[in-house]
Amino acid sequence: MNKSLGAVTLFVCFCVCASGVPLEEISDKIYPLTANGSVSVRNGEGIIYIYSWMENSVRVIERKRAYTPERLKGISAEVSINGDSIRIGTSFPPKPQGLSLADRSGTMDYVIFVPQKASVSAELTTGELIIDGVYGHTVDARLTNGRMIMQNCFADTHANVGAGGLYIIYGWWEARRFSFSADIARGHVNVIIPSSGMWEIDGESGDGKISNQLARESDPKDRMGKMRVTIGGGDGVEFKLHASHGNIAILKNE
């Protein structure tokens, strides 16, 4: 099964809660984009999953869900194309104020395939954000509340999480110089990397612990506050990680 088909299968197979079946609409569209173009996505509540592929186009699969037709109709994706950039925004109907019992439901889920060398920007208020396999110039990911997974992104990357969890995963090392900066206000950061390759990691936690599963026998495995880790001589990938309230763990990807 190829990556595109596998991701779509994951996307459309969801659990139906026992209390009722939400209404939904799904659309699947493809937009042309140059190999080195840029893609930006903004969403409120739901998910953003971004994967790279070898096509010079952007595939956008949308699924909006709500419990009433009125709320469902009020959710929409807005796609704009300007030269070598594509912007995807999301509109939601206003939620009732105060203690009103009126319907508040509504989420938008995106699965998006972008050219492998595209630059990517994604912003999500609440939910799960995944970016996988991007080799473009820059990657910028922002999440207010939820879980973020950044996997095999070989580009200058910045990730910011307000509250939740951040997972930075590399299945292999490549001889490419790039930087990865990450900030999380409340929550933990997990960096999962292979022991091969050259990595430099500067970690700082305001009130948590930094642990290093890849530490040499002569190096500390745990430390409060700050820790600098060099693997394979460094001079390769540079991570700068900051957790205001939470732990940072450097783990071995077996």
Side-chain angles (χ1 to χ4, degrees), residues 55-119:
E55 305 295 328
N56 289 341
S57 59
V58 175
R59 181 180 180 185
V60 181
I61 306 168
E62 310 162 9
R63 179 182 66 183
K64 60 180 184 178
R65 303 173 70 188
Y67 281 94
T68 63
E70 293 76 18
R71 296 290 299 182
L72 189 69
K73 185 178 179 180
I75 303 170
S76 63
E78 302 162 348
V79 179
S80 62
I81 302 174
N82 185 7
D84 293 337
S85 68
I86 292 179
R87 295 181 178 273
I88 303 167
T90 314
S91 295
F92 289 87
K95 291 188 176 182
Q97 300 297 314
L99 300 177
S100 171
L101 297 178
D103 183 27
R104 299 170 177 264
S105 66
T107 60
M108 175 69 91
D109 299 338
Y110 291 104
V111 172
I112 301 172
F113 296 89
V114 304
Q116 188 179 57
K117 295 183 179 181
S119 292

Side-chain angles (χ1 to χ4, degrees), residues 35 74 98 114 120 125 132 139 145 188 251:
V114 304
V120 172
T125 303
D132 184 359
V139 174
N145 185 37
H188 304 314
L251 306 171

Side-chain angles (χ1 to χ4, degrees), residues 168-179:
I168 302 168
I169 304 170
Y170 286 86
W172 62 88
W173 178 81
E174 293 191 14
R176 298 169 60 94
R177 290 185 59 85
F178 63 91
S179 62

Side-chain angles (χ1 to χ4, degrees), residues 15 17 19 24 38-39 41 57 81 86 97 107 122-123 129 133 135 152 179 189 196 200 204 221 231 248:
C15 297
C17 53
S19 60
E24 71 168 24
S38 65
V39 179
V41 188
S57 59
I81 302 174
I86 292 179
Q97 300 297 314
T107 60
E123 183 176 346
L129 171 57
Y135 282 69
N152 297 327
S179 62
V189 180
S196 60
E200 292 185 7
E204 181 177 1
K221 290 183 171 57
I231 300 170
I248 298 173

Side-chain angles (χ1 to χ4, degrees), residues 6 9 45 57 86 121 165-166 182 201 216 239:
T9 303
E45 296 185 25
S57 59
I86 292 179
S121 172
L166 172 58
I201 303 173
R216 297 169 297 187
F239 292 97

